Amino acid sequence: MKEYTGDRIRNVAIVGHGGAGTTSVTEGLLYRSGAITRMGKVEDGATTTDYEPEEIKRGVSVNATLAPVEWRDTKINFIDTPGFADFVAEVKGAFRAVDSALIVVCATSGVQVGTEQCWKLAEEAHLPRIVFVNKMDRSGADFFKAVREIKEKLGANPVPLVLPIGAEDNYQGIIDLVEMKA
């Protein structure tokens, strides 16, 4: 990996309620950036950031794990954090080291207690946040309900940058509202 100046390094905590999919989102980011050549699955115990035997056995993150990538002349250090309240100290620790937070919300479950806790902690740390609505291919997925809950439960004013094409079994992808491309 080449050397980067401070203005070319970003540190991003990936947080959310347990089961929202922070580890899967991290795996996708690693794959999309070219840092890994195949996507592992939590169910198979084969993800990059959940490698401890206890994490593999439980199928959940226990530790915050660094996942560095190179993207367009910038080094991005993603920190995949556990979502369950038992491990909130890992989220708090990650928030001391990052510039921003990526908050993962499940499209079926919406904003949950852990989501609210992560939002509040990010707010207290004065971190900019972006929300990623995950699991649009699952039964009961509802993007617009998730966006409503982000507004109502988190007090945020969300502005979607993408819209889903379909949901559940009919999920086909996204429309990028910035590029105006599907």
Side-chain angles (χ1 to χ4, degrees):
M1 198 176 290
K2 64 183 183 179
E3 288 187 33
Y4 289 93
T5 58
D7 64 328
R8 288 286 178 208
I9 299 173
R10 301 289 179 267
N11 301 307
V12 181
I14 302 177
V15 301
H17 186 85
T22 60
T23 299
S24 296
V25 169
T26 303
E27 194 77 3
L29 291 166
L30 289 169
Y31 178 75
R32 179 74 171 98
S33 71
I36 58 175
T37 56
R38 68 164 192 82
M39 283 195 45
K41 293 183 179 180
V42 172
E43 307 83 52
D44 299 337
T47 61
T48 306
T49 56
D50 281 355
Y51 56 85
E52 294 284 344
E54 191 65 22
E55 293 174 314
I56 294 167
K57 181 177 136 190
R58 290 182 183 206
V60 299
S61 299
V62 174
N63 301 301
T65 306
L66 179 66
V69 303
E70 294 179 333
W71 186 259
R72 297 184 182 164
D73 295 324
T74 299
K75 181 179 180 189
I76 305 171
N77 295 309
F78 292 113
I79 301 177
D80 178 23
T81 65
F84 290 98
D86 295 352
F87 310 112
V88 71
E90 296 290 313
V91 174
K92 289 179 179 179
F95 279 174
R96 288 193 197 126
V98 299
D99 321 302
S100 59
L102 172 72
I103 299 179
V104 179
V105 172
C106 175
T108 60
S109 306
V111 173
Q112 296 176 283
V113 173
T115 317
E116 293 178 67
Q117 184 177 36
C118 289
W119 186 270
K120 182 181 177 200
L121 290 170
E123 201 164 66
E124 289 171 359
H126 306 289
L127 292 173
R129 287 144 277 171
I130 190 165
V131 178
F132 181 86
V133 178
N134 195 27
K135 301 186 180 185
M136 282 301 302
D137 59 341
R138 303 287 169 90
S139 178
D142 187 336
F143 177 81
F144 296 102
K145 178 180 170 259
V147 171
R148 258 190 328 277
E149 288 185 2
I150 291 164
K151 182 177 177 82
E152 294 166 3
K153 293 183 177 182
L154 303 179
N157 193 15
V159 177
L161 299 177
V162 300
L163 293 175
I165 301 171
E168 301 176 331
D169 290 339
N170 294 321
Y171 179 70
Q172 297 173 16
I174 61 164
I175 301 169
D176 181 328
L177 297 175
V178 176
E179 298 289 327
M180 293 306 291
K181 286 183 359 184

